[in-house]
Structure formats: C-alpha cells, structure tokens
Amino acid sequence: MYDIIIIGSGPAGLTAAIYAKRAMLNAVVVEKDYMGTGQISVSERVENYPGLYGVSGYDLGEGFREHALALGTEFYDGEAKAIAKESDYWAVTFSDGRVLEAKAIIYAAGTSYRRLGVEGSEKQCVSYCAVCDGAFYQNKIVAVIGGGDTALGDAAYLSKIAKKVYLIHRRDEFRANKSLQAQVNAVENIEFILNTTVTKVNGGDKAEELVLNRNGSIDTLKIDGVFCALGSLPNTELLKGVCSLDSFGYIIAGEDGATDAKGLFAAGDVRTTPLRQVITAAADGANAVTSAENYLRSL
Ligand code: NAP
C-alpha cells in the first residue's frame, strides 16, 4: 500500500511528487496520458513563471517531469475510473480493472477543454490546440473563438502562420490580461469580431464556413480552419459523491487542499481557487503534500 496516490501529472501532480519524494513518502503518480504534463504542454510561451521568462509550456512541463524523475518518482499509466474510501485507506480503480491502494490521495487531474457544442463543431478539423495544429494553416484564413488568455495567445501565435486571423468573441470586452490585449491589438492580420457567437460550422472533412450570430443578425464567414479557446471544465466526474464539489464541478478545498473527505486532497486547477496558473498549481501540489503528511501522522 502506498502512502499517497497522486492522480494527475501536470504541474500540480508533478510538484506533489517532488515534495512527496523529499518527505520520503511512498508515493506514485498516476498519469492518463503516457508521459503527459497536462495542458501546459500546449502553451506556446509562458511569460509569468518566475525565473523562466518566455519558456515554452512544453519545456516547462518537461522540466517538472525531469525533476520528479531525478528524485526517483514512480509513475503508473492508467485512467482512474473510481475512487473509494475503504475503512482506513483509499482504493483507486482503473478503466482496465486494476486497483491501487493508498492511505491518502492527492487529486490533481486538472481540467479539459470546454467544447463549442454547435452543429458541425465535432468535426476533427475543429481544433482545441493552436500550438498542435497551427502549422497546417500556413497562409490560410483561420478563426479563433474566445476572449481569454488562451484565445488571445492563440490568435497571436496563429497570426505568424496564417494569412488572416479572425478573433471571434461573444462580448465586446476581453477577459484576457491587458498586456496580451495590447499585443494582439497591434497585430495587423488579426481582426476582432465582437458581440458575436458561432452557431454552426459548415464544411465537409474540413471547416469551410462559420455561421455567425452578430448581435442578432445572422451571416457567414469563410475560413480554412477554426480554433476554440473557450476555457476549461474540471475533470471531477469520478468524485461525485466522494467529496463536495461546487456548482461548476470544482473540488471545494482551501489552500491546504483538504477536502471534506478525510485523506483526500485537491491540488491545481481542479480546486476552487481564484487563479488557475502554473504557479498556483505548483504551489497547490506542495501544500497538498504537507497536508497529506500531517494526515498520515494522525493515523
Ligand atoms: P477563460 O479565461 O475561461 O476564457 C474562456 C473564454 O471563452 C471567455 O472569453 C469566454 O467568454 C469564452 N467562452 C466560454 N464559453 C463560450 C461559448 N460557449 N461560446 C463562446 N465563447 C465562450 O479560459 P482560458 O483563456 O483558457 O484561461 C483559463 C485560465 O488559464 C485563466 O486563468 C488564464 O489566465 C490562464 N492562462 C494563462 C496563460 C499564461 O499565463 N500564459 C495562458 C493561457 C491561459 P466570456 O469572457 O464572455 O465568459
């Protein structure tokens, strides 16, 4: 039996692994995607992680993983499907039926992309990752949907590849940080389409046209590709009935990661928190291990 099973191998989970190793705890990191490092791996450039100005998200994630590996972290590949408290320990059941047991759990499974969910939007060519798929749109016309940091960052990234980038946002105000807004505003081949929603994606194998609702009036926009950057939803489906979640599905837990289920701790973007960044996820991972250590001492 492990001391701690850490579920998730993004910045929160990998930091928890580093702190668990340093605390000489018997811990294992469960990862769904082989050698994945979470959503940070697809951020083109991170400008706010102290000491690593302008690092690529991929390199930052790999740095976390290498650090955890250097300390001897054990990894386990599998998709956790159920988590249950069995008297004084926790059992995690995987999709292939395997079971792991531990005295405590740190749940750091992050979030998944919010889908567009309109007709035609589940085509393979509707992308949720500009860094992964941008290269296919050399000198083409693309649209980015959303108004947060990801959408504006994606628009800036794609403007260097595509001929034209439409940034479509449902309001006339962006949620993205002001410096990114100023940066994107200055790019000539990015055009803002505001107060507008996409109601349909037309095309065959590839997206060819968007149907737009511009403040009530319907028209169409020819494009070669479409990128969605609509924010994220917490990966907490398997925690329903295990611990308290807020109305959006985030795990209710303070900075110490403690949930209302004894021995279950939350870290990173899955937790109710005012800020979801790499730095807050990493800090959560460290705090959750300290809380888990105190819990283990109390057993
Ligand atoms: P976000 O801030 O939640 O923004 C999502 C955007 O999508 C919002 O503008 C929202 O519109 C729009 N949206 C949501 N559902 C929609 C729908 N059904 N139809 C049309 N538009 C829809 O998500 P994010 O940009 O991915 O950022 C998430 C977190 O990661 C934030 O805390 C952000 O600061 C952070 N982040 C940081 C970096 C970095 O530091 N380098 C990079 C990327 C992200 P409304 O504005 O109208 O709600």
Side-chain angles (χ1 to χ4, degrees), residues 65-81:
R65 173 176 281 277
E66 280 161 23
H67 190 156
L69 279 171
L71 293 173
T73 295
E74 183 185 343
F75 287 87
Y76 186 93
D77 291 320
E79 184 175 3
K81 275 289 174 203

Side-chain angles (χ1 to χ4, degrees), residues 43 45-48 114-116 145-151 168-171 173-175 177 196-197 229-232 269 274-277:
S43 265
R45 187 176 157 89
V46 179
E47 293 199 341
N48 52 8
R114 180 181 281 117
R115 317 292 294 185
L116 183 58
I145 309 171
D149 282 341
T150 304
I168 303 173
H169 181 36
R170 63 184 175 186
R171 295 187 293 135
E173 245 179 48
F174 292 115
R175 192 179 283 275
N177 74 73
T196 298
T197 54
L230 308 173
S232 304
D269 287 4
L275 188 62
R276 293 191 170 87
Q277 304 273 289

Side-chain angles (χ1 to χ4, degrees), residues 3-266:
D3 291 324
I4 307 176
I5 296 172
I6 298 164
I7 298 178
S9 59
L14 291 172
T15 305
I18 291 165
Y19 274 72
K21 267 285 162 196
R22 302 258 309 138
M24 301 182 87
L25 295 167
N26 178 21
V28 62
V29 176
V30 166
E31 53 181 6
K32 190 171 81 172
D33 300 322
Y34 177 63
M35 292 194 33
T37 58
Q39 284 194 27
I40 188 59
S41 63
V42 297
S43 265
E44 195 227 350
R45 187 176 157 89
V46 179
E47 293 199 341
N48 52 8
Y49 196 80
L52 292 173
Y53 175 67
V55 66
S56 82
Y58 179 82
D59 288 346
L60 185 57
E62 287 301 296
F64 283 130
R65 173 176 281 277
E66 280 161 23
H67 190 156
L69 279 171
L71 293 173
T73 295
E74 183 185 343
F75 287 87
Y76 186 93
D77 291 320
E79 184 175 3
K81 275 289 174 203
I83 295 180
K85 183 90 186 263
E86 309 285 349
S87 64
D88 57 350
Y89 69 93
W90 287 87
V92 179
T93 306
F94 293 84
S95 45
D96 58 7
R98 294 174 298 171
V99 178
L100 288 185
E101 292 169 356
K103 295 172 195 157
I105 302 279
I106 293 179
Y107 193 86
T111 57
S112 297
Y113 301 122
R114 180 181 281 117
R115 317 292 294 185
L116 183 58
V118 300
E119 198 182 330
S121 65
E122 287 309 312
K123 288 187 175 73
Q124 275 198 320
C125 56
V126 174
S127 176
Y128 286 80
C129 177
V131 176
C132 317
D133 302 328
F136 299 122
Y137 297 94
Q138 204 92 36
N139 288 320
K140 305 266 189 197
I141 299 171
V142 298
V144 175
I145 309 171
D149 282 341
T150 304
L152 271 69
D154 284 358
Y157 175 73
L158 290 166
S159 70
K160 293 178 212 143
I161 300 169
K163 179 167 67 183
K164 172 97 188 175
V165 179
Y166 292 105
L167 179 58
I168 303 173
H169 181 36
R170 63 184 175 186
R171 295 187 293 135
D172 62 357
E173 245 179 48
F174 292 115
R175 192 179 283 275
N177 74 73
K178 294 278 185 280
S179 72
L180 192 52
Q181 289 189 37
Q183 199 183 313
V184 168
N185 221 347
V187 181
E188 261 182 30
N189 63 339
I190 298 179
E191 182 178 328
F192 295 169
I193 301 181
L194 303 177
N195 293 317
T196 298
T197 54
V198 173
T199 57
K200 193 177 172 199
V201 180
N202 286 329
D205 284 344
K206 59 188 200 69
E208 289 166 11
E209 184 183 76
L210 300 178
V211 179
L212 304 180
N213 180 339
R214 300 188 197 231
N215 243 343
S217 76
I218 308 296
D219 66 8
T220 56
L221 181 72
K222 294 275 178 222
I223 43 92
D224 299 304
V226 54
F227 292 83
C228 299
L230 308 173
S232 304
L233 297 169
N235 295 322
T236 53
E237 198 56 37
L238 77 172
L239 291 182
K240 283 185 183 151
V242 177
C243 66
S244 291
L245 308 176
D246 74 4
S247 56
F248 301 103
Y250 291 95
I251 302 169
I252 297 176
E255 238 178 296
D256 62 1
T259 68
D260 58 3
K262 282 205 178 341
L264 173 65
F265 301 88

